[in-house]
Amino acid sequence: MEDNKPWALFSEVGEQGYVEEVTDIMKQHFNLICLKDFLQNPQLHGPKIKVMFVWAACPDSSVLSLLPSLMVVANGGVGIDHLDVPYINSLGVKVTNTPGVVSDATADIAMALLLASARKVVQGHQVVTDPKITHAALDLMGFEVTGSTLGIIGMGDIGSKIARRARGFDMKILYHNRNRRSVEDEQAVGASYCENMDDLLRESDFVMLAVNLTPETTRLISHRELSLMKPTATLVNISRGLVVDQDALVKALQSGTILAAALDVTHPEPLPRDHPLLSLPNVVITPHVGTSTLKTTRKMVQLMVDNTVAAVNGKSIPTEVKPK
């Protein structure tokens, strides 16, 4: 019977929450209540809720205080920088995320941004759709991707997937990571290790950021780092907006310190409508859509459900975020 299912709190279905096509995965195992309905009468459902599904939002401490039976917070995505994991754990609540299943889609958007920026895809589209243009554009000179040098900062699963895709373009691949990967891992993707990130910045035609947001990586790329890059180089960021000092990036793009930027992430999201990044012709920005395919979204939600079912039943959790 449905009443025997545990209760789970989730954000909503729609623009700011889950797409309708994936809620069936959660409904198989849980009675669902969205945050808006819950807050209308928190005393009614609060004591019954054991699971919180987090999607592009941070659970407020005031909401957590209304959930005395909560056992697990399941985050959709790999990054958990928006979650106060120590605080949540202090409540006796476990935290999970969804590594692995997001890697292919995120690597795809990384290459899409790199190619769109290098070959001026957005500008080309604007030319052909401009009613005032009456002739073919012959001056949209892009940057050659094939045979160029790609520097990847952060060679985890996503970084490795990006490197595999870059090999198809005969790119020379450099990488910088906290820890050097094994020789086998390097050979599998054709990547060479740069112990010093500065060397990677100096040599790369494209610098790809694929790191987690931590205190150490916050504003990892700022004025000094951008000044080391080639004036013909492009910065691609698919990690988190705060990894880049955006004021420094604006200045670098305006002054010609670097050629271009392609970003799937900013801070904040979305940017204020008058932010200078939005008006620069050498910038391509997408609205944090790295994992936004239906196939990947279903994989993410399935892993979230697998994690929460395990937590509720007292079993080993597939991808628990362990306290550090």
Side-chain angles (χ1 to χ4, degrees), residues 98-275:
T98 61
V101 296
V102 304
S103 299
D104 279 320
T106 306
D108 285 351
I109 200 72
M111 291 305 295
L113 283 166
L114 186 156
L115 290 163
S117 179
R119 299 307 306 268
K120 300 185 182 294
V121 171
V122 175
Q123 295 96 315
H125 174 77
Q126 291 169 341
V127 166
V128 298
T129 57
D130 187 338
K132 297 188 292 292
I133 299 295
T134 58
H135 60 277
L138 301 177
D139 59 348
L140 284 174
M141 289 296 153
F143 193 92
E144 193 85 12
V145 174
T146 299
S148 62
T149 298
L150 172 64
I152 302 173
I153 300 176
M155 187 63 94
D157 193 44
I158 293 172
S160 296
K161 298 271 189 177
I162 294 169
R164 288 181 182 276
R165 285 153 175 74
R167 288 188 74 182
F169 289 88
D170 296 325
M171 300 181 85
K172 177 183 178 182
I173 302 165
L174 308 175
Y175 81 96
H176 174 77
N177 208 41
R178 283 180 302 172
N179 302 303
R180 183 171 183 173
R181 303 295 297 262
S182 69
V183 173
E184 292 76 17
D185 287 346
E186 291 179 353
Q187 291 177 342
V189 298
S192 300
Y193 180 60
C194 288
E195 184 175 359
N196 189 328
M197 189 177 76
D198 289 359
D199 293 335
L200 179 148
L201 293 170
R202 292 188 183 99
E203 295 182 37
S204 299
D205 298 306
F206 299 91
V207 173
M208 180 76 67
L209 303 177
V211 298
N212 292 324
L213 180 64
T214 66
E216 292 72 31
T217 61
T218 298
R219 292 182 175 81
L220 179 69
I221 304 298
S222 191
H223 294 280
R224 189 189 75 84
E225 291 73 26
L226 291 164
S227 70
L228 295 175
M229 293 172 61
K230 297 177 181 180
T232 55
T234 296
L235 181 71
V236 186
N237 187 10
I238 50 90
S239 55
R240 286 291 189 269
L242 282 172
V243 172
V244 176
D245 179 340
Q246 287 182 167
D247 292 338
L249 178 60
V250 169
K251 291 180 180 178
L253 291 164
Q254 290 174 333
S255 66
T257 301
I258 66 172
L259 178 68
L263 315 170
D264 187 45
V265 289
T266 60
H267 182 77
E269 294 173 350
L271 288 172
R273 297 299 85 185
D274 60 350
H275 195 284

Side-chain angles (χ1 to χ4, degrees), residues 7-26:
W7 281 82
L9 179 66
F10 73 113
S11 53
E12 62 177 291
V13 175
E15 185 178 353
Q16 299 299 315
Y18 296 83
V19 294
E20 182 68 41
E21 291 90 340
V22 302
T23 56
D24 62 304
I25 301 173
M26 296 185 287

